[in-house]
């Protein structure tokens, strides 16, 4: 890779949770993390060079992002399991056990899961309820399957197995991400200017959902998911599923047949995650 700046190796490793966490990542996950880190660093530098307050000039417009659609080999909403990460071909997936658990899916399909682990770590440190911590841990993992409308897909995937409040938090965090709430400590993220375009207006279903959730008695469930939804990694955070095993044990109804084999309304989604290579 030819870069117009030097990557700070120590800061990069720290951003992933330290050397131990990096050692656990496979080659492709590392390549992908480096790519993300490089993009973020580049954005910061471009912003600084332009010297603007908030540096809005560095973000693309909606039209610019749309113009990129036919320059890509896959669509932006495609789930991570279906697209090569870090360039080249997709890799062979390790088989899941006959009766796979949530932890098996974390280890074999949701990797590297840094983002959700760090969000859940923060939720734990800030004293959130176990329902919110679990929602933070699960809020984005459905992106292995599909990214578009991932709040709704994610809630559907987990609804049969988690507390109602947790599913509510997962479902609506997607819409609340677009709406700041100063009192709760949530600002519109810069990342969204980059991802959606600086002049992006959320579609009607997001606007309507926001209005409904804002007045809902459980508003704080998804709101606290957004508050703990981190893209700036805390170098001191421990990236591991271990601290959450007890919470999973208390609140996740693991089916004895294994996820995908219990005939639940979302069993097919788990089977697709287990075997994304099935042609039909
Ligand atoms: Fe999300
Ligand atoms: Fe997230």
């Amino acid at each position: 890779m030819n870069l117009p700046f030097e990557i700070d190796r120590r800061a990069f490793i720290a951003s992933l949770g330290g050397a131990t966490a990096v050692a656990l990542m496979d080659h492709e996950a590392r390549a992908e993390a480096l790519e993300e880190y490089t993009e973020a660093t580049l954005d910061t530098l471009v912003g600084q060079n332009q010297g603007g307050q908030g540096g809005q000039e560095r973000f693309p417009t909606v039209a610019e992002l749309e113009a990129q659609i036919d320059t890509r080999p896959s669509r932006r909403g495609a789930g991570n399991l279906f697209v090569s990460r870090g360039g080249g071909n997709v890799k062979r997936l390790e088989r899941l056990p006959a009766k796979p658990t949530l932890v098996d899916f974390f280890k074999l399909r949701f990797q590297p899961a840094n983002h959700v682990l760090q969000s859940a770590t923060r939720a734990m440190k800030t004293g959130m309820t176990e329902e919110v911590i679990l929602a933070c841990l699960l809020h984005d993992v459905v992106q292995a399957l599909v990214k578009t409308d991932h709040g709704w897909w994610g809630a559907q995937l987990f609804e049969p197995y988690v507390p109602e409040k947790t599913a509510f938090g997962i479902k609506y965090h997607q819409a609340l991400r677009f709406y700041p709430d100063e009192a709760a400590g949530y600002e519109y993220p810069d990342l969204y200017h980059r991802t959606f375009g600086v002049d992006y207006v959320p579609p009607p279903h997001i606007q309507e959902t926001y209005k409904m959730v804002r007045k809902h008695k459980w508003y704080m469930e998804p709101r606290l998911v957004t508050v703990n939804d981190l893209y700036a990694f805390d170098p001191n955070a421990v990236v591991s599923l271990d601290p959450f095993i007890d919470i999973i044990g208390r609140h996740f109804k693991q089916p004895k047949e294994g996820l995908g084999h219990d005939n639940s309304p979302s069993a097919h989604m788990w089977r697709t995650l287990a075997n994304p290579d099935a042609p039909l």
Side-chain angles (χ1 to χ4, degrees):
M1 211 182 317
N2 234 339
L3 297 173
F5 58 90
E6 296 248 351
I7 284 283
D8 179 341
R9 211 180 137 75
R10 280 180 56 189
F12 170 59
I13 291 170
S15 77
L16 298 173
T20 319
V22 173
L24 290 171
M25 295 168 78
D26 65 25
H27 177 71
E28 287 184 9
R30 258 180 252 168
E32 189 187 36
L34 180 61
E35 194 182 319
E36 277 171 20
Y37 186 82
T38 305
E39 270 179 35
T41 309
L42 197 54
D43 279 354
T44 310
L45 290 174
V46 171
Q48 284 166 356
N49 289 343
Q50 290 175 340
Q53 288 283 329
Q56 284 202 343
E57 314 86 289
R58 73 188 191 269
F59 299 119
T61 62
V62 169
E64 282 163 359
L65 289 171
E66 275 180 17
Q68 291 173 8
I69 291 174
D70 50 11
T71 69
R72 298 171 188 276
S74 59
R75 299 188 190 280
R76 295 177 81 202
N80 290 325
L81 280 175
F82 294 88
V83 201
S84 157
R85 312 170 77 184
N89 294 338
V90 295
K91 70 172 185 178
R92 206 170 279 239
L93 290 163
E94 204 177 313
R95 264 183 210 284
L96 286 155
K99 296 176 180 178
T101 64
L102 178 64
V103 174
D104 293 323
F105 275 92
F106 256 92
K107 288 186 177 151
L108 300 174
R109 294 294 182 272
F110 302 152
Q111 281 296 337
N114 256 300
H115 169 65
V116 290
L117 288 171
Q118 296 221 8
S119 298
T121 301
R122 188 190 151 155
M124 197 176 243
K125 268 192 200 154
T126 53
M128 299 290 116
T129 63
E130 294 200 341
E131 285 94 340
V132 168
I133 296 171
L134 186 60
C136 290
L137 183 68
L138 305 178
H139 79 283
D140 281 341
V141 297
V142 81
Q143 291 184 30
L145 189 64
V146 57
K147 293 185 176 181
T148 309
D149 267 328
H150 71 282
W152 277 269
W153 283 102
Q156 195 177 357
L157 178 69
F158 288 113
E159 255 157 16
Y161 312 104
V162 300
E164 225 180 314
K165 278 186 178 176
T166 299
F168 191 90
I170 296 169
K171 188 174 198 170
Y172 295 121
H173 88 276
Q174 178 201 337
L176 296 200
R177 289 284 275 144
F178 295 101
Y179 299 93
D181 180 342
E182 232 173 85
Y186 179 73
E187 292 175 3
Y188 190 88
D190 262 7
L191 179 88
Y192 272 26
H193 286 313
R194 174 150 58 91
T195 305
F196 291 93
V198 72
D199 51 345
Y200 180 74
V201 177
H205 78 281
I206 296 286
Q207 296 180 28
E208 290 307 313
T209 297
Y210 171 67
K211 279 188 219 150
M212 182 280 286
V213 179
R214 189 72 190 86
K215 288 181 283 193
H216 198 283
K217 63 180 177 186
W218 285 357
Y219 167 68
M220 284 313 280
E221 306 295 320
R223 175 49 77 203
L224 289 170
V225 175
T226 70
V227 169
N228 290 285
D229 199 352
L230 289 176
Y231 285 95
F233 291 116
D234 172 0
N236 299 314
V238 179
V239 183
S240 159
L241 195 58
D242 295 348
F244 308 106
I245 296 294
D246 287 349
I247 290 178
I248 291 172
R250 277 194 287 278
H251 299 286
F252 188 86
K253 294 186 212 105
Q254 174 62 47
K256 59 179 186 320
E257 307 89 334
L259 289 163
H261 310 303
D262 60 340
N263 245 334
S264 84
S266 65
H268 62 292
M269 295 169 76
W270 291 96
R271 290 196 300 270
T272 305
L273 282 164
N275 186 15
D277 292 302
L280 285 173

